[in-house]
């Protein structure tokens, strides 16, 4: 799954890992804001690969937590969702506005394969000093290079160059490469 290969999401081990993550997210989201040390302990259990200097406003939801890697000085405003079936690597000094969504998971484009339940994941990398505006969505396989800015409401479908600002969301017809590639 983490390697980008097809996987079955109803595999018992994956189901149990997701339940663990959802329980920890629920616990985090329902802990009093004044109990900062408790909240940090929960995130340390959920996301063990972190540099220790983070602040995530509730609510926060993820699929596994174990595939999220946080650099130093990470901040997320409210309502962060990370579907981490593949690695999500977040560098140092990264800021997220409210309602940011990070999706490493995707489904086959071929309807017969999609109906089978098989899924895929592609790693997302967000390098140092990136700012992601509110209501932005980052899709599978994207790398956002150092110093980039993602404007509010953007849907990021392709890599973003260093120190570049990207904005916008425009649906358009897409020609499929193969049945299972996006």
């Amino acid at each position: 799954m983490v390697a980008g290969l097809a996987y079955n999401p109803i595999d018992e081990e994956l189901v149990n890992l997701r339940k663990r993550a959802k329980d920890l997210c629920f616990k985090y989201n329902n802990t009093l804001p004044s109990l900062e040390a408790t909240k940090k302990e929960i995130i340390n259990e959920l996301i063990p690969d972190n540099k220790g200097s983070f602040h995530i406003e509730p609510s926060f939801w993820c699929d596994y937590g174990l595939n999220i890697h946080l650099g130093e000085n990470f901040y997320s405003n409210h309502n962060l969702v990370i579907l981490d079936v593949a690695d999500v690597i977040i560098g140092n000094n990264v800021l997220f506005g409210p309602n940011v969504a990070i999706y490493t998971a995707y489904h086959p484009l071929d309807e017969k394969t999609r109906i089978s339940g098989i899924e895929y994941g592609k790693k997302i990398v967000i390098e140092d000093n990136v700012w992601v505006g509110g209501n932005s969505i980052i899709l599978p396989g994207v790398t956002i290079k150092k110093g980039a800015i993602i404007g509010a409401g953007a849907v990021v479908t392709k890599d973003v160059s260093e120190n570049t600002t990207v904005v916008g969301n425009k649906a358009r017809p897409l020609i499929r490469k193969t049945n299972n590639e996006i």
Side-chain angles (χ1 to χ4, degrees):
M1 177 180 80
V2 175
L5 302 175
Y7 68 95
N8 184 342
I10 61 171
D11 174 84
E12 185 178 355
E13 181 182 359
L14 295 179
V15 169
N16 289 334
L17 286 170
R18 282 194 309 275
K19 285 179 182 178
R20 172 194 170 274
K22 301 302 183 205
D23 285 351
L24 288 168
C25 287
F26 181 86
K27 186 175 178 182
Y28 180 79
N29 293 329
N30 291 283
T31 299
L32 290 171
S34 59
L35 299 176
E36 292 178 20
T38 301
K39 291 175 78 83
K40 188 168 187 164
E41 288 174 15
I42 296 167
I43 292 295
N44 284 333
E45 184 176 351
L46 181 62
I47 305 172
D49 186 13
N50 72 74
K51 302 294 186 221
S53 55
F54 56 82
H55 185 85
I56 301 171
E57 299 285 357
S59 70
F60 168 61
W61 295 100
C62 65
D63 278 340
Y64 299 95
L66 302 171
N67 300 323
I68 300 170
H69 312 275
L70 295 179
E72 294 180 10
N73 301 318
F74 173 71
Y75 174 81
S76 175
N77 211 315
H78 297 281
N79 302 320
L80 172 61
V81 173
I82 300 178
L83 303 184
D84 62 315
V85 303
D87 285 329
V88 175
I89 300 168
I90 299 173
N92 300 323
N93 307 308
V94 173
L95 305 172
F96 286 175
N99 304 308
V100 168
I102 310 292
Y103 303 149
T104 65
Y106 70 97
H107 302 275
L109 299 177
D110 171 72
E111 65 184 274
K112 289 178 186 171
T113 308
R114 185 172 54 249
I115 291 168
S116 76
I118 295 299
E119 297 179 2
Y120 297 89
K122 287 187 178 181
K123 173 174 76 171
I124 292 173
V125 177
I126 302 169
E127 295 184 354
D128 296 345
N129 308 317
V130 170
W131 174 26
V132 179
N135 293 305
S136 294
I137 300 171
I138 301 171
L139 295 180
V142 166
T143 294
I144 300 173
K145 297 285 192 172
K146 182 174 109 175
I149 297 172
I150 309 304
V155 177
V156 183
T157 62
K158 296 180 181 177
D159 292 351
V160 177
S161 299
E162 189 171 319
N163 297 313
T164 300
T165 299
V166 297
V167 299
N169 175 7
K170 182 178 179 182
R172 67 192 191 298
L174 179 69
I175 298 172
R176 295 181 186 175
K177 295 178 183 178
T178 67
N179 284 338
N180 291 320
E181 290 186 48
I182 57 173

